[in-house]
Short mmCIF file of all heavy atoms in Angstrom, two decimals:
data_model
loop_
_atom_site.label_atom_id
_atom_site.label_comp_id
_atom_site.label_asym_id
_atom_site.label_seq_id
_atom_site.Cartn_x
_atom_site.Cartn_y
_atom_site.Cartn_z
N VAL A 61 146.38 117.17 108.69
CA VAL A 61 146.80 117.54 107.35
C VAL A 61 147.86 116.56 106.84
O VAL A 61 147.81 116.14 105.71
CB VAL A 61 147.33 118.99 107.32
CG1 VAL A 61 147.86 119.35 105.96
CG2 VAL A 61 146.26 119.95 107.75
N LEU A 62 148.82 116.22 107.71
CA LEU A 62 149.86 115.29 107.29
C LEU A 62 149.27 113.92 106.96
O LEU A 62 149.69 113.27 106.01
CB LEU A 62 150.93 115.17 108.38
CG LEU A 62 152.19 114.42 108.00
CD1 LEU A 62 152.85 115.03 106.77
CD2 LEU A 62 153.17 114.42 109.15
N ASP A 63 148.28 113.48 107.74
CA ASP A 63 147.62 112.20 107.46
C ASP A 63 146.96 112.21 106.08
O ASP A 63 147.02 111.22 105.36
CB ASP A 63 146.56 111.89 108.52
CG ASP A 63 147.16 111.52 109.86
OD1 ASP A 63 148.33 111.10 109.89
OD2 ASP A 63 146.44 111.64 110.87
N GLN A 64 146.36 113.34 105.73
CA GLN A 64 145.72 113.45 104.42
C GLN A 64 146.76 113.37 103.31
O GLN A 64 146.55 112.68 102.31
CB GLN A 64 144.94 114.76 104.31
CG GLN A 64 143.72 114.81 105.18
CD GLN A 64 143.07 116.18 105.17
OE1 GLN A 64 143.67 117.16 104.74
NE2 GLN A 64 141.84 116.25 105.67
N GLN A 65 147.87 114.06 103.48
CA GLN A 65 148.93 114.01 102.47
C GLN A 65 149.49 112.60 102.35
O GLN A 65 149.72 112.10 101.26
CB GLN A 65 150.05 114.99 102.80
CG GLN A 65 149.72 116.41 102.46
CD GLN A 65 150.95 117.30 102.54
OE1 GLN A 65 151.92 116.99 103.22
NE2 GLN A 65 150.89 118.42 101.85
N PHE A 66 149.71 111.93 103.49
CA PHE A 66 150.28 110.59 103.48
C PHE A 66 149.34 109.62 102.76
O PHE A 66 149.79 108.75 102.01
CB PHE A 66 150.58 110.12 104.90
CG PHE A 66 151.40 108.87 104.96
CD1 PHE A 66 152.78 108.93 104.79
CD2 PHE A 66 150.82 107.64 105.17
CE1 PHE A 66 153.56 107.78 104.83
CE2 PHE A 66 151.59 106.49 105.22
CZ PHE A 66 152.96 106.57 105.05
N SER A 67 148.05 109.76 102.98
CA SER A 67 147.09 108.84 102.36
C SER A 67 147.05 108.98 100.84
O SER A 67 146.66 108.05 100.14
CB SER A 67 145.69 109.05 102.94
OG SER A 67 145.17 110.30 102.56
N ARG A 68 147.48 110.11 100.31
CA ARG A 68 147.48 110.34 98.86
C ARG A 68 148.74 109.85 98.16
O ARG A 68 148.81 109.84 96.94
CB ARG A 68 147.33 111.84 98.57
CG ARG A 68 145.99 112.39 98.97
CD ARG A 68 145.90 113.86 98.60
NE ARG A 68 144.74 114.45 99.23
CZ ARG A 68 144.75 115.60 99.89
NH1 ARG A 68 145.85 116.30 99.98
NH2 ARG A 68 143.65 116.06 100.44
N LEU A 69 149.73 109.42 98.92
CA LEU A 69 151.00 108.99 98.34
C LEU A 69 150.88 107.62 97.69
O LEU A 69 150.07 106.79 98.10
CB LEU A 69 152.09 108.94 99.42
CG LEU A 69 152.43 110.24 100.13
CD1 LEU A 69 153.48 109.98 101.21
CD2 LEU A 69 152.91 111.30 99.16
N SER A 70 151.75 107.38 96.74
CA SER A 70 151.83 106.04 96.13
C SER A 70 152.48 105.10 97.15
O SER A 70 153.05 105.54 98.15
CB SER A 70 152.68 106.09 94.86
OG SER A 70 154.05 106.32 95.20
N LEU A 71 152.40 103.80 96.88
CA LEU A 71 153.02 102.83 97.80
C LEU A 71 154.52 103.07 97.93
O LEU A 71 155.08 102.99 99.03
CB LEU A 71 152.75 101.40 97.32
CG LEU A 71 151.30 100.93 97.44
CD1 LEU A 71 151.15 99.54 96.83
CD2 LEU A 71 150.85 100.93 98.89
N LEU A 72 155.18 103.38 96.82
CA LEU A 72 156.61 103.64 96.85
C LEU A 72 156.91 104.89 97.67
O LEU A 72 157.82 104.90 98.49
CB LEU A 72 157.16 103.80 95.43
CG LEU A 72 158.63 104.18 95.30
CD1 LEU A 72 159.54 103.20 96.05
CD2 LEU A 72 159.03 104.29 93.84
N GLU A 73 156.14 105.95 97.46
CA GLU A 73 156.35 107.18 98.23
C GLU A 73 156.14 106.94 99.72
O GLU A 73 156.89 107.45 100.55
CB GLU A 73 155.41 108.28 97.73
CG GLU A 73 155.75 108.78 96.35
CD GLU A 73 154.67 109.64 95.73
OE1 GLU A 73 153.49 109.51 96.15
OE2 GLU A 73 155.00 110.44 94.84
N LYS A 74 155.14 106.13 100.06
CA LYS A 74 154.90 105.80 101.48
C LYS A 74 156.08 105.04 102.06
O LYS A 74 156.52 105.31 103.18
CB LYS A 74 153.62 104.98 101.63
CG LYS A 74 152.36 105.79 101.43
CD LYS A 74 151.12 104.92 101.54
CE LYS A 74 149.88 105.75 101.28
NZ LYS A 74 148.65 104.95 101.31
N GLU A 75 156.59 104.07 101.31
CA GLU A 75 157.74 103.30 101.79
C GLU A 75 158.96 104.20 101.99
O GLU A 75 159.67 104.10 102.99
CB GLU A 75 158.08 102.16 100.84
CG GLU A 75 159.17 101.26 101.38
CD GLU A 75 159.49 100.07 100.51
OE1 GLU A 75 158.94 99.94 99.39
OE2 GLU A 75 160.33 99.25 100.93
N LEU A 76 159.18 105.11 101.05
CA LEU A 76 160.29 106.05 101.19
C LEU A 76 160.12 106.92 102.43
O LEU A 76 161.07 107.13 103.19
CB LEU A 76 160.40 106.93 99.94
CG LEU A 76 160.85 106.25 98.66
CD1 LEU A 76 160.71 107.18 97.47
CD2 LEU A 76 162.28 105.74 98.79
N MET A 77 158.91 107.41 102.64
CA MET A 77 158.65 108.26 103.81
C MET A 77 158.89 107.49 105.11
O MET A 77 159.47 108.03 106.06
CB MET A 77 157.22 108.79 103.78
CG MET A 77 156.98 109.85 102.74
SD MET A 77 157.95 111.35 103.00
CE MET A 77 157.33 111.90 104.58
N ILE A 78 158.48 106.25 105.15
CA ILE A 78 158.68 105.44 106.36
C ILE A 78 160.17 105.26 106.63
O ILE A 78 160.63 105.44 107.76
CB ILE A 78 157.94 104.08 106.24
CG1 ILE A 78 156.43 104.33 106.31
CG2 ILE A 78 158.40 103.12 107.33
CD1 ILE A 78 155.59 103.14 105.91
N TRP A 79 160.93 104.91 105.60
CA TRP A 79 162.38 104.75 105.80
C TRP A 79 163.04 106.06 106.20
O TRP A 79 163.92 106.09 107.07
CB TRP A 79 163.05 104.19 104.54
CG TRP A 79 162.92 102.70 104.45
CD1 TRP A 79 162.23 101.98 103.53
CD2 TRP A 79 163.50 101.74 105.34
NE1 TRP A 79 162.33 100.65 103.79
CE2 TRP A 79 163.10 100.46 104.90
CE3 TRP A 79 164.30 101.84 106.49
CZ2 TRP A 79 163.49 99.30 105.56
CZ3 TRP A 79 164.69 100.67 107.13
CH2 TRP A 79 164.28 99.43 106.66
N LEU A 80 162.60 107.16 105.60
CA LEU A 80 163.18 108.46 105.96
C LEU A 80 162.86 108.83 107.41
O LEU A 80 163.70 109.38 108.11
CB LEU A 80 162.67 109.54 105.01
CG LEU A 80 163.22 109.44 103.59
CD1 LEU A 80 162.44 110.36 102.66
CD2 LEU A 80 164.71 109.78 103.56
N MET A 81 161.66 108.48 107.86
CA MET A 81 161.30 108.75 109.26
C MET A 81 162.12 107.88 110.20
O MET A 81 162.52 108.33 111.28
CB MET A 81 159.81 108.53 109.47
CG MET A 81 158.96 109.63 108.87
SD MET A 81 157.21 109.47 109.23
CE MET A 81 156.72 108.25 108.02
N LEU A 82 162.35 106.64 109.82
CA LEU A 82 163.14 105.73 110.66
C LEU A 82 164.60 106.15 110.74
O LEU A 82 165.24 106.02 111.79
CB LEU A 82 163.04 104.29 110.15
CG LEU A 82 161.69 103.62 110.32
CD1 LEU A 82 161.67 102.28 109.60
CD2 LEU A 82 161.36 103.44 111.80
N GLU A 83 165.13 106.65 109.65
CA GLU A 83 166.53 107.08 109.62
C GLU A 83 166.77 108.33 110.46
O GLU A 83 167.81 108.47 111.09
CB GLU A 83 166.99 107.32 108.18
CG GLU A 83 167.17 106.07 107.36
CD GLU A 83 168.29 105.19 107.87
OE1 GLU A 83 169.34 105.70 108.29
OE2 GLU A 83 168.09 103.96 107.87
N ARG A 84 165.82 109.24 110.45
CA ARG A 84 165.86 110.49 111.24
C ARG A 84 166.99 111.45 110.88
O ARG A 84 167.05 112.54 111.37
CB ARG A 84 165.91 110.19 112.73
CG ARG A 84 164.71 109.47 113.22
CD ARG A 84 164.75 109.33 114.70
NE ARG A 84 163.62 108.55 115.14
CZ ARG A 84 163.39 108.26 116.38
NH1 ARG A 84 164.21 108.68 117.31
NH2 ARG A 84 162.35 107.56 116.71
N GLU A 85 167.93 111.05 110.12
CA GLU A 85 169.04 111.91 109.69
C GLU A 85 169.06 111.90 108.16
O GLU A 85 168.36 111.13 107.53
CB GLU A 85 170.38 111.36 110.21
CG GLU A 85 170.50 111.34 111.72
CD GLU A 85 170.63 112.71 112.34
OE1 GLU A 85 171.17 113.61 111.68
OE2 GLU A 85 170.17 112.89 113.47
N GLY A 86 169.87 112.73 107.61
CA GLY A 86 170.02 112.71 106.16
C GLY A 86 170.55 111.35 105.70
O GLY A 86 171.28 110.67 106.42
N ILE A 87 170.14 110.95 104.54
CA ILE A 87 170.58 109.68 103.99
C ILE A 87 170.82 109.86 102.50
O ILE A 87 170.09 110.60 101.83
CB ILE A 87 169.53 108.56 104.25
CG1 ILE A 87 170.02 107.20 103.76
CG2 ILE A 87 168.19 108.91 103.67
CD1 ILE A 87 169.13 106.04 104.18
N TYR A 88 171.83 109.23 101.99
CA TYR A 88 172.11 109.29 100.56
C TYR A 88 171.06 108.49 99.81
O TYR A 88 170.58 107.46 100.30
CB TYR A 88 173.49 108.73 100.25
CG TYR A 88 174.61 109.64 100.66
CD1 TYR A 88 175.35 109.37 101.81
CD2 TYR A 88 174.93 110.77 99.92
CE1 TYR A 88 176.38 110.22 102.20
CE2 TYR A 88 175.95 111.61 100.30
CZ TYR A 88 176.67 111.33 101.44
OH TYR A 88 177.67 112.18 101.83
N ALA A 89 170.72 108.95 98.62
CA ALA A 89 169.72 108.27 97.81
C ALA A 89 170.10 106.81 97.56
O ALA A 89 169.26 105.92 97.62
CB ALA A 89 169.54 109.01 96.48
N ARG A 90 171.37 106.56 97.34
CA ARG A 90 171.86 105.19 97.09
C ARG A 90 171.56 104.28 98.29
O ARG A 90 171.13 103.14 98.13
CB ARG A 90 173.35 105.26 96.84
CG ARG A 90 174.08 103.99 96.72
CD ARG A 90 175.56 104.21 96.50
NE ARG A 90 175.83 105.64 96.34
CZ ARG A 90 176.97 106.17 95.99
NH1 ARG A 90 177.99 105.40 95.74
NH2 ARG A 90 177.16 107.45 95.86
N SER A 91 171.76 104.80 99.51
CA SER A 91 171.49 104.02 100.72
C SER A 91 169.99 103.80 100.90
O SER A 91 169.56 102.71 101.30
CB SER A 91 172.05 104.73 101.94
OG SER A 91 173.44 104.90 101.80
N LEU A 92 169.21 104.82 100.61
CA LEU A 92 167.76 104.70 100.71
C LEU A 92 167.24 103.67 99.71
O LEU A 92 166.41 102.82 100.05
CB LEU A 92 167.12 106.07 100.46
CG LEU A 92 165.60 106.16 100.56
CD1 LEU A 92 165.12 105.75 101.94
CD2 LEU A 92 165.16 107.59 100.25
N PHE A 93 167.75 103.69 98.51
CA PHE A 93 167.36 102.74 97.47
C PHE A 93 167.64 101.30 97.94
O PHE A 93 166.83 100.40 97.72
CB PHE A 93 168.12 103.05 96.18
CG PHE A 93 167.70 102.22 95.00
CD1 PHE A 93 166.58 102.57 94.26
CD2 PHE A 93 168.44 101.12 94.61
CE1 PHE A 93 166.19 101.82 93.16
CE2 PHE A 93 168.06 100.36 93.52
CZ PHE A 93 166.93 100.71 92.79
N ALA A 94 168.76 101.09 98.60
CA ALA A 94 169.15 99.75 99.06
C ALA A 94 168.23 99.23 100.16
O ALA A 94 168.13 98.02 100.36
CB ALA A 94 170.59 99.77 99.54
N LEU A 95 167.56 100.10 100.88
CA LEU A 95 166.67 99.69 101.96
C LEU A 95 165.31 99.18 101.49
O LEU A 95 164.61 98.50 102.24
CB LEU A 95 166.44 100.86 102.93
CG LEU A 95 167.63 101.33 103.75
CD1 LEU A 95 167.30 102.61 104.48
CD2 LEU A 95 168.06 100.25 104.72
N LEU A 96 164.94 99.50 100.28
CA LEU A 96 163.60 99.17 99.80
C LEU A 96 163.41 97.67 99.65
O LEU A 96 164.28 96.97 99.14
CB LEU A 96 163.34 99.88 98.47
CG LEU A 96 163.40 101.40 98.53
CD1 LEU A 96 163.27 101.99 97.14
CD2 LEU A 96 162.34 101.95 99.46
N ALA A 97 162.26 97.19 100.09
CA ALA A 97 161.96 95.76 100.06
C ALA A 97 161.94 95.23 98.63
O ALA A 97 162.51 94.17 98.34
CB ALA A 97 160.62 95.49 100.74
N LYS A 98 161.29 95.94 97.75
CA LYS A 98 161.23 95.57 96.33
C LYS A 98 161.70 96.78 95.54
O LYS A 98 160.91 97.64 95.18
CB LYS A 98 159.80 95.19 95.94
CG LYS A 98 159.68 94.69 94.53
CD LYS A 98 158.24 94.33 94.20
CE LYS A 98 158.16 93.97 92.73
NZ LYS A 98 156.78 93.84 92.29
N PRO A 99 163.01 96.85 95.28
CA PRO A 99 163.54 98.04 94.61
C PRO A 99 162.87 98.30 93.26
O PRO A 99 162.75 97.39 92.44
CB PRO A 99 165.03 97.73 94.42
CG PRO A 99 165.33 96.70 95.45
CD PRO A 99 164.06 95.90 95.60
N PRO A 100 162.39 99.52 93.07
CA PRO A 100 161.78 99.89 91.79
C PRO A 100 162.85 100.19 90.75
O PRO A 100 164.05 100.10 91.05
CB PRO A 100 161.01 101.17 92.14
CG PRO A 100 161.87 101.79 93.21
CD PRO A 100 162.43 100.63 94.00
N THR A 101 162.44 100.58 89.58
CA THR A 101 163.42 101.06 88.61
C THR A 101 164.03 102.35 89.15
O THR A 101 163.43 103.02 90.00
CB THR A 101 162.76 101.35 87.25
OG1 THR A 101 161.83 102.41 87.41
CG2 THR A 101 162.07 100.11 86.69
N LYS A 102 165.20 102.67 88.68
CA LYS A 102 165.84 103.91 89.13
C LYS A 102 164.99 105.12 88.76
O LYS A 102 164.89 106.07 89.54
CB LYS A 102 167.24 104.03 88.54
CG LYS A 102 168.18 102.99 89.09
CD LYS A 102 169.53 103.05 88.42
CE LYS A 102 170.41 101.91 88.91
NZ LYS A 102 171.69 101.90 88.22
N ARG A 103 164.37 105.05 87.61
CA ARG A 103 163.52 106.16 87.17
C ARG A 103 162.34 106.35 88.11
O ARG A 103 162.03 107.47 88.53
CB ARG A 103 163.03 105.90 85.75
CG ARG A 103 162.14 106.98 85.23
CD ARG A 103 161.69 106.68 83.83
NE ARG A 103 160.80 107.74 83.38
CZ ARG A 103 160.52 107.99 82.15
NH1 ARG A 103 161.07 107.28 81.19
NH2 ARG A 103 159.70 108.96 81.83
N ALA A 104 161.66 105.26 88.48
CA ALA A 104 160.52 105.34 89.40
C ALA A 104 160.96 105.86 90.75
O ALA A 104 160.25 106.65 91.39
CB ALA A 104 159.85 103.97 89.54
N PHE A 105 162.13 105.42 91.20
CA PHE A 105 162.68 105.88 92.48
C PHE A 105 162.91 107.39 92.47
O PHE A 105 162.48 108.10 93.38
CB PHE A 105 163.98 105.12 92.76
CG PHE A 105 164.69 105.55 94.00
CD1 PHE A 105 164.20 105.23 95.25
CD2 PHE A 105 165.88 106.26 93.92
CE1 PHE A 105 164.87 105.62 96.40
CE2 PHE A 105 166.55 106.65 95.05
CZ PHE A 105 166.05 106.33 96.31
N LEU A 106 163.57 107.87 91.43
CA LEU A 106 163.85 109.31 91.33
C LEU A 106 162.56 110.11 91.18
O LEU A 106 162.44 111.20 91.76
CB LEU A 106 164.82 109.59 90.19
CG LEU A 106 166.23 109.06 90.41
CD1 LEU A 106 167.07 109.26 89.15
CD2 LEU A 106 166.89 109.74 91.59
N GLU A 107 161.60 109.59 90.44
CA GLU A 107 160.32 110.29 90.29
C GLU A 107 159.59 110.38 91.63
O GLU A 107 158.97 111.40 91.94
CB GLU A 107 159.44 109.58 89.25
CG GLU A 107 159.90 109.81 87.83
CD GLU A 107 159.11 109.02 86.81
OE1 GLU A 107 158.18 108.25 87.18
OE2 GLU A 107 159.41 109.16 85.62
N ALA A 108 159.66 109.31 92.42
CA ALA A 108 159.02 109.33 93.74
C ALA A 108 159.70 110.36 94.66
O ALA A 108 159.02 111.08 95.38
CB ALA A 108 159.07 107.93 94.37
N LEU A 109 161.02 110.43 94.61
CA LEU A 109 161.73 111.43 95.42
C LEU A 109 161.35 112.84 94.98
O LEU A 109 161.11 113.71 95.82
CB LEU A 109 163.24 111.24 95.30
CG LEU A 109 163.83 110.02 95.99
CD1 LEU A 109 165.34 109.95 95.74
CD2 LEU A 109 163.55 110.03 97.48
N ARG A 110 161.27 113.06 93.68
CA ARG A 110 160.88 114.39 93.17
C ARG A 110 159.45 114.73 93.57
O ARG A 110 159.16 115.88 93.92
CB ARG A 110 161.02 114.43 91.65
CG ARG A 110 162.45 114.50 91.20
CD ARG A 110 162.54 114.71 89.68
NE ARG A 110 163.88 114.38 89.23
CZ ARG A 110 164.18 113.35 88.46
NH1 ARG A 110 163.25 112.54 88.01
NH2 ARG A 110 165.43 113.12 88.11
N SER A 111 158.58 113.75 93.55
CA SER A 111 157.20 113.98 93.96
C SER A 111 157.12 114.38 95.43
O SER A 111 156.39 115.31 95.79
CB SER A 111 156.37 112.71 93.72
OG SER A 111 155.07 112.86 94.22
N LEU A 112 157.88 113.70 96.28
CA LEU A 112 157.90 114.06 97.70
C LEU A 112 158.46 115.46 97.90
O LEU A 112 158.00 116.21 98.76
CB LEU A 112 158.72 113.03 98.49
CG LEU A 112 158.13 111.63 98.56
CD1 LEU A 112 159.11 110.68 99.24
CD2 LEU A 112 156.80 111.64 99.29
N GLU A 113 159.44 115.80 97.10
CA GLU A 113 160.02 117.15 97.19
C GLU A 113 159.00 118.20 96.75
O GLU A 113 158.85 119.24 97.40
CB GLU A 113 161.27 117.23 96.32
CG GLU A 113 162.01 118.54 96.46
CD GLU A 113 163.24 118.61 95.58
OE1 GLU A 113 163.44 117.71 94.75
OE2 GLU A 113 163.98 119.58 95.72
N ARG A 114 158.27 117.93 95.68
CA ARG A 114 157.25 118.88 95.20
C ARG A 114 156.15 119.07 96.24
O ARG A 114 155.59 120.15 96.38
CB ARG A 114 156.61 118.37 93.90
CG ARG A 114 157.40 118.67 92.67
CD ARG A 114 156.58 118.41 91.41
NE ARG A 114 155.95 117.10 91.37
CZ ARG A 114 156.51 115.99 90.90
NH1 ARG A 114 157.74 116.02 90.43
NH2 ARG A 114 155.85 114.86 90.89
N ARG A 115 155.83 118.02 96.99
CA ARG A 115 154.80 118.10 98.03
C ARG A 115 155.34 118.69 99.33
O ARG A 115 154.65 118.72 100.34
CB ARG A 115 154.25 116.70 98.32
CG ARG A 115 153.54 116.05 97.17
CD ARG A 115 153.24 114.61 97.53
NE ARG A 115 152.78 113.85 96.39
CZ ARG A 115 151.56 113.38 96.25
NH1 ARG A 115 150.67 113.58 97.17
NH2 ARG A 115 151.23 112.69 95.19
N SER A 116 156.60 119.09 99.32
CA SER A 116 157.28 119.65 100.49
C SER A 116 157.38 118.65 101.64
O SER A 116 157.39 119.02 102.81
CB SER A 116 156.58 120.93 100.97
OG SER A 116 156.61 121.90 99.96
N LEU A 117 157.46 117.36 101.30
CA LEU A 117 157.64 116.31 102.30
C LEU A 117 159.09 115.86 102.37
O LEU A 117 159.46 115.07 103.24
CB LEU A 117 156.74 115.11 101.99
CG LEU A 117 155.24 115.39 102.05
CD1 LEU A 117 154.45 114.18 101.56
CD2 LEU A 117 154.83 115.76 103.47
N LEU A 118 159.89 116.34 101.46
CA LEU A 118 161.30 115.97 101.40
C LEU A 118 162.11 117.22 101.06
O LEU A 118 161.75 117.95 100.14
CB LEU A 118 161.50 114.91 100.31
CG LEU A 118 162.93 114.48 100.00
CD1 LEU A 118 163.51 113.71 101.17
CD2 LEU A 118 162.94 113.62 98.76
N LEU A 119 163.15 117.43 101.82
CA LEU A 119 164.05 118.54 101.53
C LEU A 119 165.29 118.00 100.87
O LEU A 119 165.96 117.13 101.41
CB LEU A 119 164.43 119.27 102.83
CG LEU A 119 163.29 119.92 103.58
CD1 LEU A 119 163.81 120.51 104.89
CD2 LEU A 119 162.65 120.99 102.74
N LYS A 120 165.58 118.48 99.70
CA LYS A 120 166.78 118.05 98.99
C LYS A 120 167.94 118.91 99.47
O LYS A 120 167.85 120.13 99.49
CB LYS A 120 166.56 118.23 97.49
CG LYS A 120 167.66 117.66 96.64
CD LYS A 120 167.20 117.61 95.21
CE LYS A 120 168.13 118.37 94.33
NZ LYS A 120 167.73 118.39 92.95
N PRO A 121 169.02 118.27 99.89
CA PRO A 121 170.16 119.05 100.37
C PRO A 121 170.75 119.91 99.25
O PRO A 121 170.74 119.53 98.09
CB PRO A 121 171.16 118.01 100.84
CG PRO A 121 170.70 116.72 100.30
CD PRO A 121 169.26 116.85 99.91
N ARG A 122 171.24 121.04 99.62
CA ARG A 122 171.86 121.94 98.65
C ARG A 122 173.20 121.39 98.19
O ARG A 122 173.92 120.76 98.94
CB ARG A 122 172.09 123.31 99.27
CG ARG A 122 170.82 124.03 99.56
CD ARG A 122 171.14 125.38 100.10
NE ARG A 122 169.90 126.05 100.48
CZ ARG A 122 169.85 127.22 101.05
NH1 ARG A 122 170.96 127.87 101.32
NH2 ARG A 122 168.70 127.77 101.35
N PHE A 123 173.51 121.68 96.96
CA PHE A 123 174.80 121.37 96.36
C PHE A 123 175.12 119.87 96.34
O PHE A 123 176.26 119.47 96.27
CB PHE A 123 175.94 122.11 97.06
CG PHE A 123 175.66 123.57 97.20
CD1 PHE A 123 175.50 124.12 98.44
CD2 PHE A 123 175.56 124.39 96.08
CE1 PHE A 123 175.23 125.47 98.59
CE2 PHE A 123 175.30 125.73 96.22
CZ PHE A 123 175.13 126.29 97.47
N ARG A 124 174.12 119.03 96.44
CA ARG A 124 174.37 117.59 96.38
C ARG A 124 173.42 117.00 95.35
O ARG A 124 172.23 117.27 95.39
CB ARG A 124 174.10 116.94 97.74
CG ARG A 124 174.61 115.52 97.79
CD ARG A 124 174.30 114.83 99.08
NE ARG A 124 174.82 115.54 100.22
CZ ARG A 124 174.47 115.29 101.46
NH1 ARG A 124 173.61 114.33 101.73
NH2 ARG A 124 174.97 115.97 102.46
N THR A 125 173.92 116.21 94.46
CA THR A 125 173.06 115.58 93.46
C THR A 125 172.71 114.18 93.93
O THR A 125 173.47 113.54 94.66
CB THR A 125 173.75 115.50 92.09
OG1 THR A 125 174.95 114.76 92.24
CG2 THR A 125 174.05 116.88 91.55
N LEU A 126 171.56 113.71 93.50
CA LEU A 126 171.15 112.35 93.83
C LEU A 126 171.70 111.44 92.74
O LEU A 126 171.33 111.55 91.58
CB LEU A 126 169.63 112.26 93.87
CG LEU A 126 168.96 113.08 94.96
CD1 LEU A 126 167.44 113.06 94.78
CD2 LEU A 126 169.32 112.54 96.32
N LYS A 127 172.59 110.57 93.11
CA LYS A 127 173.20 109.68 92.13
C LYS A 127 172.94 108.23 92.56
O LYS A 127 173.28 107.83 93.66
CB LYS A 127 174.70 109.92 92.04
CG LYS A 127 175.36 109.09 90.97
CD LYS A 127 176.83 109.41 90.84
CE LYS A 127 177.46 108.57 89.77
NZ LYS A 127 178.89 108.80 89.67
N ILE A 128 172.35 107.49 91.70
CA ILE A 128 172.06 106.08 91.96
C ILE A 128 172.95 105.25 91.04
O ILE A 128 172.99 105.48 89.85
CB ILE A 128 170.58 105.75 91.64
CG1 ILE A 128 169.64 106.74 92.30
CG2 ILE A 128 170.26 104.33 92.05
CD1 ILE A 128 169.69 106.77 93.77
N GLU A 129 173.65 104.30 91.62
CA GLU A 129 174.54 103.45 90.81
C GLU A 129 174.03 102.03 90.81
O GLU A 129 173.38 101.57 91.66
CB GLU A 129 175.95 103.49 91.38
CG GLU A 129 176.54 104.87 91.26
CD GLU A 129 177.94 104.96 91.85
OE1 GLU A 129 178.43 103.97 92.40
OE2 GLU A 129 178.52 106.02 91.74
#
């Protein structure tokens, strides 16, 4: 089931998932953004994170906002 979900992700979502798996711990959005090989627009980045959250592949920490500078 996870393989099927992963295959449906966009390239950006796949890259985010790979970095999140490598990190294994919580990571700030700003740090995750800095790891990307070809950083997207901030809007595309936030949309990809929201998409992963909607698919239940990403848990957003409580009481913390995602801020990209």
Side-chain angles (χ1 to χ4, degrees):
V61 176
L62 190 56
D63 289 338
Q64 290 173 345
Q65 282 191 337
F66 192 80
S67 68
R68 293 182 192 133
L69 299 177
S70 70
L71 290 175
L72 176 55
E73 291 168 336
K74 287 178 182 177
E75 186 177 5
L76 291 172
M77 287 298 298
I78 290 168
W79 278 114
L80 289 168
M81 287 185 279
L82 290 172
E83 288 295 320
R84 298 185 184 180
E85 297 289 331
I87 184 171
Y88 286 104
R90 173 182 354 188
S91 301
L92 182 59
F93 186 82
L95 293 171
L96 299 174
K98 185 180 174 190
T101 64
K102 292 176 185 177
R103 179 180 178 160
F105 176 72
L106 292 174
E107 286 175 359
L109 289 178
R110 286 187 197 113
S111 174
L112 293 174
E113 186 180 8
R114 278 192 310 272
R115 296 172 191 248
S116 299
L117 296 173
L118 175 68
L119 297 176
K120 187 167 123 182
R122 292 183 184 176
F123 310 115
R124 191 183 304 166
T125 58
L126 296 172
K127 184 176 180 184
I128 310 298
E129 295 179 357

